[in-house]
Amino acid sequence: RPARARGRGGGEGGGGGMSPQRAHAKVEATVPISSPEDKREYRRIVLPNGLTALLIHDPEMAAGGASGEDDDEEEDDEYSDEGSEGDDYGSDDGMEEGEEGEAGAPNGKGGGGGGATKKAAAALSVSVGSFSDPASANGLAHFLEHMLFMGSEDFPDENEYDSFLSKHGGGSNAFTECEHTCFFFDVHRASLRGALERFAGFFVSPLIKAGSMEREVQAVESEFRQALSHDGNRLLQLQCHTARDGHPFKAFFWGNMKSLRDAPASAGLDMRKQLLEFYDAHYCAPRMTLVVVGMETLDELQDMVGELFARVRPAPTPAAALPDDFKSQGMPFEPRMQYILPAVRDVMQLHVMWCLPPLLKAYRSKPADYASHLIGHEGRGSLFAALKARGWATALSGGVGDGGHDRSSNSSMFTVTAHLTEEGLRRRDDVASLIFQYAAMAAREGPQKWVFDELRAVAEVQFRYHEEEEADEYAVNLASNMPVYAPEHAVSGDYVFEDWDPQCVDAIMQHLTPANARIDLLAREDRLAEAVFGVPKPNGDVETMEVDGDGAEKAATAVPQLPEGALPSEEPWFGVKYSAAPVPAALLERWEAEAAAGGLHSESREAAAAYPALTMPPRNEFLPTNFELLPSPEVNTAKHPEHGYVPGVPPRTVSDGDLCRLWHKGDAVFRTPRACAFLSLSAPGHNADQRSIVMTELLAKLAADALNETTYMASMADLEAQVRRSGERLEVRVSGFSHNLVALLRTVLAVATSPPVKDDRFEVVREETARAYANANMRPMMHVSYLRLTCLRHATYDIDAVPALLEGLRPEDVRAYAESHFTKQSRVEALVTGNVGAAEVAALEAEMAQMLPRAGGKDAALRPMQRVTSLKEGVVTLVRCPCKNPKEENSALEVYWQVGPDDDNTRAALDLLEQAIGEPFFDTLRTKEQLGYSLDIGLRLTHGVLGFAARLQSAEHPPEHLSDCLHRFLAGYSETLRGMTDDEFEKYRSARISARLQKDASLLDESERQWAEVWEGRYLFDAREHEAAALARCKKEAVAQLFDTAIAPASTAQRKLWCAVYSRQFSERAGKDGEAGAAKAACNGALDAEHLPPGGIFDWRGERGHYDTPAAR
């Protein structure tokens, strides 16, 4: 969905402007239902102008530590390189998110947390979205969302809102949905009023400046260009394009320069007038829902909201108070149609969609959740079990999604998505038939109240023991849902299962037939050519030419090509070619007959008997029933003498033998019946080469595959379990309700230490893994980071070589590797936290001793060194290549400055530099210079080596231009830094100190933070104290000196990497002809240049000096 990404910064709290005064106007007030375990207080009010607000007083926020007004800035862990290289190797399907490991253990928080502060937050949702765009200006609602940030009458500076949040430890964002637009922020708890004053201006008196329109339409264009190569966006836009004429679905909701500037100008439209008219028509108080989370009392929050938002204009007419009604528009799609479109990434997906009536108001009975639970189930007798047993699918999802197109006042889209194997793509009609067969079987069984009761039981315990989320995320969810839920359910609506409605459930299940379905098939062109259009694979000796990573042409094996006219149509905005045709009558009749009979015509009775039958799901044995809390362990009560927070009690060592080092920490803070258990399995030589890493990856995937039915059933009871490769090790993670956690952990650990390697499952997992690696680095921002990490980390290998390596592996290779590296020689490091007693932990250790009878021991051989390349002083190393996707429209650049080995004082200086530079970097390069939508800057920590880096992406400019703009900004920032007042610097330092002391939101957050210390072998559970002390010591002069020496463009002491990937329009610059221009941009007249082709990285880093740090055992 279109979203406006905003920056984050830090600084002093407090807010100027209007003085507090009590709002005397009468308001309607109710108290919504909340969990008895929830310490927060709630009040729902309706202001006289019709605006609805939910006020949330958080007593823990009010009781937070006294580390200064600015103790809340969140650490951006995305900038750290510590921990897993797993995502560099495509461990997720396609690496669509977060390809660079975060600080500490994978997905862990790394640093910060554990202190005593929380952020305040607010979110406001307006009941209008892209469905209301006029035909003359596609994307207008999204464009208006951008323009509201550009100042108000009270605060006319277009950067005032962002600047205030940045200086007060906060950040903001917004997104445009089909029927609502949501704006939100978080901020230091003491600065809520100042942030709300500026925020309220969006909805009271926005300027919508004509002078800002060109820049912001360019920002919308940049967003659109960034989305072009995303397969999910391409499919959604095709679905919109093929909706019925006149339906609100049939539009282009992103907006771009063509729809918002060029086409309106050609038609003689005044776009500012269009924006103002849209605002006047839809932005009024009765269509707004506001959520505010703060430390103030409910009365104080009510006074604040009443004063600031009473000025929002009421509806000019009774009709204007109501959102646009789309229910009368009918269903968006014609049934019995099938569409084929090519994918950018190597994915193979079959989407079966049914249009249902709107179900938003049926939240008390949630009938679609019932259907989703059955069809998307992955346990015994499930649809997924049948597809998996045949080797046709690797994943399955089913239900009504969360997006605005999926659930709206017009309709509900129930979609089943099967992620196919190569054989599944060839058997796609049989895959669809099994989907129809399962829906028919469930319909014949009739509505089952025990299924509803199970869903209700899980929802009740989830709501009662809900783990807190970040305040801004919580506010967004509540504000978005308030227009749907009754006042008493403003907080609990997502978890309400009050009314069993078998008639509605039956109507849904009876509707899920072949005759009512729409089919979308998505796969790469060569796979479509072979599996759908019958083009044979060329002989293995047939070659074609392609551009390699070094920008040179090379021979490559030819692939099947789509026949002429195979995809005769084209979606106009994304340029997606596709075919559309009615489902053949014979195929429809076959599907209906097979659904009625329960079997595939292509399978004999004997063959079908070898596969699991389709049945209703079994009852869930993992549902928790025991919520008794163990006695609270000891707690600290003494506050830190300098920063005012109460240090937590660290985990204690239960055992430290040859087999296992086991840590345990009870729960004295959250007092919830939840627990976490994290384990690391390592072995000698486990990171010796790329082959062993890939073997470990396969083992993890095979273990997860074997455990899938068990872990899925557990997940339905809010008990999550995962086995994965993280770096060079196997990692096991189990978290959730403590009642059945240890029993689940035993099951998972038994499989993880000795995974079954069945030939048929091996082939499926190997194929899936090869596709994931092939999909790596398809996003330019991730690609440049991969190039940097490959240059620096010697444990990072050639990701493009993995598919060929996988091709040569056999099941017996993996069995032998598992036996020699894990079953016989593993050493375990584990952390168990929460509502689990010492006796259970001790018993667990004894069981692990039986599972791993010949442990590897604690010898140093188990702890290989992590090696990081040392860059040369006075030299910039350039690594350049074309984008992996030859049609990619975005180029990206990452510039990295190496500083040296990690120490508290240097890290503190870089921390403070990141804190201070972020907002002006964003404002200058994105907002003012409009380089692109995606950019970031900050500290990098790579296996104990500190650095600093900036990343920029642009669809308009080549990396050389991005580099010039970056250097120009940095050259000016040196003067800014030296001219910073002591008061300004103190604001940044206060904010950064408090980032390290920010309160963990949940037991899981606390456990992940502590696991990061165990994973990295640091065991510095008081790391935040050390970091806070170093920040308190750090002087402005130290930050300025570090910047001028290591980063400033004029410095000849820089040790610099310059990594660039070039879009299709600039791809010719990636070769040798572009070396001179790139060197000029990278050196900036101060450094010598060396050019390093990507294919030469591995030899180059072996010849360079390096830093060595011990890997965690």
Side-chain angles (χ1 to χ4, degrees), residues 10 169 304 381 476 631 905:
M304 193 186 302
V476 166
N905 294 331

Side-chain angles (χ1 to χ4, degrees), residues 456-537:
R456 175 167 54 192
V458 172
E460 285 174 352
V461 297
Q462 285 178 328
F463 180 62
R464 176 161 188 168
Y465 300 106
H466 178 68
E467 290 199 294
E468 279 194 33
E469 55 205 290
E470 297 295 339
D472 56 346
E473 296 174 5
Y474 191 50
V476 166
N477 184 55
L478 295 176
S480 300
N481 286 334
M482 280 169 63
V484 176
Y485 297 151
E488 66 271 20
H489 293 142
V491 176
S492 62
D494 283 351
Y495 302 91
V496 169
F497 281 81
E498 287 182 350
D499 303 329
W500 167 233
D501 189 347
Q503 289 77 24
C504 188
V505 167
D506 187 58
I508 290 175
M509 299 309 301
Q510 296 294 340
H511 186 77
L512 305 184
T513 67
N516 294 323
R518 168 194 170 117
I519 309 290
D520 293 286
L521 182 66
L522 176 70
R524 209 172 57 190
E525 285 189 6
D526 58 313
R527 297 199 183 279
L528 291 175
E530 180 190 2
V532 178
F533 296 100
V535 178
K537 283 185 177 180

Side-chain angles (χ1 to χ4, degrees), residues 24 39 441 555 669 675 890 1001:
H24 295 287
K39 300 179 179 65
M441 179 278 298
V669 177
N890 295 278

Side-chain angles (χ1 to χ4, degrees), residues 533-556:
F533 296 100
V535 178
K537 283 185 177 180
N539 295 329
D541 56 353
V542 176
E543 293 185 343
T544 185
M545 300 303 293
E546 65 179 31
V547 178
D548 67 9
D550 299 339
E553 285 193 337
K554 68 174 184 179

